[in-house]
Amino acid sequence: MLVPEKNIQTQINRFGSCLLAIRKAHRLSQKAVAITAEMDQSYLAAIEAGRRGAPRDLQLSRLAQALNATQAEKLALLEARALQRIEAELQELKRSCVSCGFLSQTQEPDFSKIQNFISNYLE
């Protein structure tokens, strides 16, 4: 079951960490992957470091191809991207709750309805 943790910010680089692990497992340099994926090496480095978000479908496809990723690795990248996006949305929801006065800065929102929806969707 997907359960958002109290400190969502610590999880925000899920995709970059997954990408880095796969790249290192295949013993590929950032430069080699960037060239094959037709992207700037600094962009790839920023994704891995969490300074840039997960890429869109076309770039993700190019990265998977450049990594010669297995089917399991491709699915791991997709899952990491999806979870990172969900976590970012939950973080934004919390900010909105605070700015609208629905929660104080120190209160944690109750995400149980969202968790139940996601759990039911994934079953």
Side-chain angles (χ1 to χ4, degrees):
M1 176 179 4
L2 177 67
V3 181
E5 293 181 13
K6 296 211 183 265
N7 187 359
I8 295 171
Q9 185 62 38
T10 62
Q11 300 178 36
I12 210 68
N13 190 29
R14 250 183 223 279
F15 182 83
S17 298
C18 183
L19 178 62
L20 176 64
I22 293 170
R23 182 178 62 76
K24 287 191 172 197
H26 287 263
R27 296 185 172 142
L28 295 168
S29 68
Q30 277 184 349
K31 185 175 184 174
V33 171
I35 290 169
T36 306
E38 300 175 16
M39 63 178 55
D40 195 270
Q41 183 180 350
S42 64
Y43 175 65
L44 179 57
I47 293 171
E48 288 183 352
R51 293 187 309 271
R52 295 290 301 261
R56 295 188 182 265
D57 289 346
L58 178 60
Q59 292 170 318
L60 179 57
S61 178
R62 287 179 180 165
L63 279 170
Q65 188 173 18
L67 291 165
N68 197 25
T70 65
Q71 190 65 22
E73 289 168 336
K74 291 174 187 176
L75 291 174
L77 287 169
L78 283 172
E79 181 182 80
R81 182 177 73 169
L83 290 172
Q84 184 171 313
R85 288 179 177 176
I86 290 168
E87 290 161 350
E89 287 294 325
L90 291 174
Q91 192 174 39
E92 179 58 32
L93 177 61
K94 182 179 178 181
R95 276 194 296 271
S96 294
C97 287
V98 170
S99 70
C100 291
F102 300 151
L103 290 175
S104 72
Q105 194 77 14
T106 58
Q107 285 178 300
E108 287 297 324
D110 179 7
F111 289 129
S112 59
K113 288 182 182 178
I114 295 171
Q115 288 173 300
N116 290 336
F117 173 79
I118 291 170
S119 295
N120 291 334
Y121 183 80
L122 295 176
E123 289 179 354

